Amino acid sequence: MSDQQYEPMPAATRHIPSAAGYDGSGDHTQTFGHEADLSFIPFHGELSQAELDAISALPARAALLLVRSGPAAGARYLLDTDSTTVGRHPEAGIFFDDVTVSRRHAEITRSRSTFELVDQRSLNGTYVNGERVDRAELRNGDEVRIGKFRLNFFSSPRDLPAAAS
């Protein structure tokens, strides 16, 4: 596909050239400017009834990512395939249009009813529950951070072990 087929990015999402040798060619990921941006503060908000309904309606072997903060806060992403790419590339399965996200930032793979998050050598890293990971098995309620985006992962209730009575 040629670049002419895509709408130009808004000025707020374009990379700002740095003095460190940026020559203006290509598209680059901007790094976080302050370590506080990467701090882990668990999300304690209540789920809305619509979110609870969406989680309870998940079929077996599926999961849901809920965006809690960042430019796409409130968005929901269904994970129902064996592989989902996450990144700033327009063809990513989960497209985050923000310079803190690498073009091919991470991949979420599914094996049976287990989901694994795999960082794709992203510049800003991928975090699960506040820890930088190269790969991590996702568990119900985990917080995932990709760039400025904070998400919560929820498995299908059909795949969770039966609660002890």
Side-chain angles (χ1 to χ4, degrees), residues 4-19:
Q4 294 174 346
Q5 293 176 342
Y6 294 108
E7 292 287 323
M9 284 191 294
T13 60
R14 278 190 234 136
H15 175 75
I16 299 169
S18 68

Side-chain angles (χ1 to χ4, degrees), residues 63-67 75-79 86 94 108 138 142 144 151-154:
L64 192 66
L65 280 174
L66 301 176
V67 181
R76 292 182 235 161
Y77 295 97
L78 177 64
L79 302 173
V86 181
I94 297 175
I108 301 170
L138 294 173
D142 279 351
V144 174
L151 310 99
N152 281 117
F153 172 85
F154 293 97

Side-chain angles (χ1 to χ4, degrees), residues 33-49:
H34 190 275
E35 282 196 31
D37 292 334
L38 298 177
S39 63
F40 175 62
I41 303 167
F43 179 79
H44 293 294
E46 294 293 321
L47 294 174
S48 70
Q49 189 59 50

Side-chain angles (χ1 to χ4, degrees), residues 41-163:
I41 303 167
F43 179 79
H44 293 294
E46 294 293 321
L47 294 174
S48 70
Q49 189 59 50
E51 291 168 333
L52 291 170
D53 291 345
I55 293 166
S56 66
L58 286 170
R61 299 188 65 229
L64 192 66
L65 280 174
L66 301 176
V67 181
R68 296 310 203 173
S69 68
R76 292 182 235 161
Y77 295 97
L78 177 64
L79 302 173
D80 63 350
T81 61
D82 289 337
S83 177
T84 303
T85 57
V86 181
R88 192 167 29 99
H89 191 281
E91 294 178 11
I94 297 175
F95 172 61
F96 288 143
D97 190 13
D98 189 84
V99 295
T100 61
V101 176
S102 296
R103 290 179 65 73
R104 182 165 167 77
H105 198 101
E107 182 176 14
I108 301 170
T109 60
R110 176 182 69 180
S111 175
R112 296 190 180 139
S113 60
T114 301
F115 289 83
E116 184 175 47
L117 179 66
V118 182
D119 184 76
Q120 300 294 305
R121 295 183 287 175
S122 63
L123 182 62
N124 286 318
T126 301
Y127 294 77
V128 175
N129 296 327
E131 293 187 32
R132 189 170 183 157
V133 298
D134 290 327
R135 98 179 18 241
E137 184 177 320
L138 294 173
R139 302 199 187 284
N140 200 46
D142 279 351
E143 181 185 282
V144 174
R145 182 181 285 248
I146 294 174
K148 290 181 181 177
F149 299 85
R150 290 174 59 184
L151 310 99
N152 281 117
F153 172 85
F154 293 97
S155 300
S156 169
R158 290 159 184 78
D159 298 325
L160 296 175

